[in-house]
Amino acid sequence: MSPNPFDPTFDRLPRTLPIFPLPGVMLLPRARLPLNIFEPRYLAMVEDALKGDRNIGMIQPLDPASRAKAPPVYDTGCAGRITSFSETDDGRILITLTGVCRFHVLSELETVGGYRRVHAGWERFAGDMVEEPGGGIDRGRLLAGLKSYFRTQAISANWEHIEGTPDERLVNSLAMICPFAASEKQALLEAPDLTERATLLIALIEMAILDARDSDQAAQRH
């Protein structure tokens, strides 16, 4: 994938970052995440981001079931840049975030317009700014497991497209879209590199297949 000339360089990443806590939702570098924005505080966040550097930090709450207005969040998230947006007649904004770089929460700042902001540290994730080369993952095992996993989840797929997708895009897209638990998504996000993320992804897929088979066998016995 060619570098986007609009993406910030590492030294231009913002120190203050608005965050959007969503359980079970993850963003990874160079992957795309569509979002439907309707809450007033997040509409304000998007409008402010569009006036500035267009960066928003996606991060997960520690407790996915929390109903708190400002639940505690994990220490690590991923910043995305708004690369497209459109307004709807009923007052929503539809945006697409393209992942830029993971960040570490150094501290939380005062809210602005009702939305949360953090002081972001990027140094641990400087490697995110460069697309990782392929070839370091067990692609055959991943695709074999994925076919079984998609059958258990009743997910249809364009296998020709999947098989032609480069390693980084394939692994990161699957990590984002597969319906794993929030803690599993966080582990995928925090994996230090593509090879370890792919290894963990394969393990999660194979465990989900075994769990589905065990459930089917238990149901048949009853």
Side-chain angles (χ1 to χ4, degrees):
M1 181 185 297
S2 300
N4 187 323
F6 294 104
D7 284 343
T9 55
F10 185 74
D11 61 319
R12 297 290 298 275
L13 291 172
R15 291 297 168 182
T16 299
L17 187 68
I19 59 169
F20 191 179
L22 276 181
V25 177
M26 176 178 62
L27 179 63
L28 288 164
R30 286 167 294 283
R32 291 181 175 86
L33 177 66
L35 292 170
N36 177 16
I37 309 298
F38 55 88
E39 286 189 52
R41 56 179 167 164
Y42 295 126
L43 289 170
M45 178 184 68
V46 169
E47 289 173 355
D48 288 347
L50 288 170
K51 296 173 187 174
D53 55 25
R54 294 192 280 166
N55 287 304
I56 291 173
M58 297 304 303
I59 199 164
Q60 291 198 105
L62 285 169
D63 179 6
S66 175
R67 297 290 182 178
K69 186 173 182 180
V73 294
Y74 281 98
D75 290 336
T76 303
C78 183
R81 191 173 61 83
I82 300 174
T83 49
S84 71
F85 79 98
S86 62
E87 300 171 346
T88 68
D89 292 340
D90 58 359
R92 294 174 292 123
I93 300 179
L94 308 178
I95 67 172
T96 297
L97 288 181
T98 299
V100 175
C101 183
R102 289 174 292 174
F103 64 92
H104 182 73
V105 176
L106 300 177
S107 62
E108 187 152 355
L109 306 171
E110 291 184 9
T111 60
V112 170
Y115 62 85
R116 298 166 70 180
R117 303 177 304 146
V118 299
H119 181 205
W122 309 95
E123 286 72 18
R124 285 168 47 189
F125 306 110
D128 285 358
M129 303 297 289
V130 180
E131 185 171 2
E132 293 195 53
I137 72 172
D138 189 343
R139 194 177 177 98
R141 185 176 171 186
L142 173 60
L143 292 175
L146 191 63
K147 289 178 180 179
S148 296
Y149 177 73
F150 277 11
R151 281 196 296 271
T152 65
Q153 299 290 324
I155 299 173
S156 59
N158 181 335
W159 289 107
E160 182 178 354
H161 175 73
I162 288 174
E163 289 168 0
T165 301
D167 286 353
E168 186 191 65
R169 195 182 311 169
L170 177 63
V171 170
N172 287 354
S173 296
L174 290 173
M176 288 172 57
I177 67 172
C178 287
F180 299 130
S183 59
E184 294 169 336
K185 293 264 191 182
Q186 189 66 25
L188 288 164
L189 171 69
E190 295 183 13
D193 55 38
L194 183 65
T195 300
E196 292 203 29
R197 183 173 299 125
T199 300
L200 177 56
L201 177 65
I202 291 169
L204 291 173
I205 287 172
E206 292 178 346
M207 285 190 295
I209 293 168
L210 290 174
D211 288 344
R213 288 174 181 169
D214 289 345
S215 296
D216 288 344
Q217 290 172 359
Q220 290 171 6
R221 287 195 294 268
H222 293 84

